[in-house]
Amino acid sequence: MAYSIEGDLLEVCNCNVLCPCWIGEDPDHGYCDATLAYRINSGEVNGVDMRGVVIAGVGKIPGNVLAGNWKRQLYVDASASDAQSAAAIDLLQGRLGGPMADLAQLIGEDLEPKRAAITFTLSEGKGVLKIDGVLEAEMEPYRGPTGEVTTLNESIFTTIPGAPAYVSKAEYFRVDDPGVGIKLDIEKTNAIQGAFRFEFA
C-alpha cells in the first residue's frame, strides 16, 4: 500500500471567516457543515495513475472538529476510471495509511460513496466547486497589502498537512444533500484553498 500524489484543495463551510475548526476551537454555530475536494494533478495510488481525479466529501461535523464523529458522503468524479475510483475511495477512507488515514479517523459514519460529475477549477486564486445536483460554491482568497495570498500555517487541524492554507471566502455556498442532512444556501462564509503533496509507503 503506497501513494504519492500532488494537487489542489478547495474547502468551504458554514462558519464565518476564519473557521475556528482550524485552530481547534468549536465551530461558530456549534456544528460545521462543510465540503472539501481534492483534485489530484499528478501521482499514483498503488500503481494507479491518478492524474485529473477529483474526489469530494460533504460532511456534517457535530461539534469540535477534533472530537470526530463526522458524517460524510464521498463523491468521485464520474470521469474517473473504475480503478481510479477504487483507489481514491481507499485513500480517502484511510485504508492506505499516512496523512489521509489520520483525517479518516475523524469520520464516525461514512456513507456509501457515489459517482457524480464534479467541476473543480482554480484560476488566479478564484476557485469553483460543483457536485452535480448536490453542491456549488465559488471562493476567492484574501490578499495582503503586497497582493500575496493570506496564509494560515502551523494550525492544530488541517486537511492539507505540511502545507500552508490559503484563507478564502465563499461568495456563495449551496448544498442539498439529504443523506448527510445538509441543505444550505448561504453567502460570504469561510473557505480554504491550498496545494498538497501526500506521500506514504
Side-chain angles (χ1 to χ4, degrees):
M1 296 188 295
Y3 55 87
S4 178
I5 55 173
E6 296 185 30
D8 297 302
L9 167 94
L10 295 177
E11 178 179 324
V12 189
C13 75
N14 67 322
C15 288
N16 301 322
V17 180
L18 174 70
C19 177
C21 295
W22 278 70
I23 54 173
E25 298 293 333
D26 292 343
D28 288 327
H29 308 290
Y31 62 93
C32 188
D33 288 344
T35 185
L36 63 91
Y38 296 96
R39 180 182 66 190
I40 303 173
N41 297 328
S42 64
E44 296 183 347
V45 174
N46 280 343
V48 177
D49 185 352
M50 299 296 286
R51 185 178 8 218
V53 174
V54 179
I55 185 165
V58 177
K60 180 171 280 293
I61 302 169
N64 190 285
V65 67
L66 300 175
N69 201 32
W70 306 7
K71 185 175 185 179
R72 181 177 70 174
Q73 175 68 67
L74 286 177
Y75 295 90
V76 182
D77 189 13
S79 66
S81 70
D82 289 344
Q84 288 173 326
S85 176
I89 291 167
D90 282 345
L91 181 70
L92 267 291
Q93 291 189 336
R95 288 190 282 273
L96 304 182
M100 303 308 286
D102 294 340
L103 181 64
Q105 289 178 358
L106 297 171
I107 308 300
E109 182 180 359
D110 230 348
L111 303 177
E112 185 69 24
K114 297 180 179 180
R115 290 290 201 112
I118 302 176
T119 300
F120 183 124
T121 62
L122 191 55
S123 177
E124 296 183 353
K126 186 178 290 292
V128 174
L129 177 63
K130 295 180 182 179
I131 305 172
D132 191 39
V134 177
L135 178 149
E136 56 183 21
E138 182 176 327
M139 61 213 79
E140 189 162 354
Y142 287 90
R143 298 181 185 274
T146 65
E148 292 296 313
V149 174
T150 302
T151 59
L152 174 66
N153 297 273
E154 294 297 322
S155 55
I156 194 168
F157 171 79
T158 175
T159 50
I160 45 173
Y166 306 145
V167 180
S168 305
K169 178 186 284 187
E171 289 301 308
Y172 57 84
F173 180 35
R174 304 179 187 120
V175 189
D176 188 357
D177 194 323
V180 181
I182 299 176
K183 188 175 180 65
L184 290 174
D185 187 349
I186 54 180
E187 299 177 345
K188 312 296 184 184
T189 63
N190 172 75
I192 294 288
Q193 300 178 24
F196 65 84
R197 179 177 183 176
F198 297 143
E199 293 184 311
F200 186 73

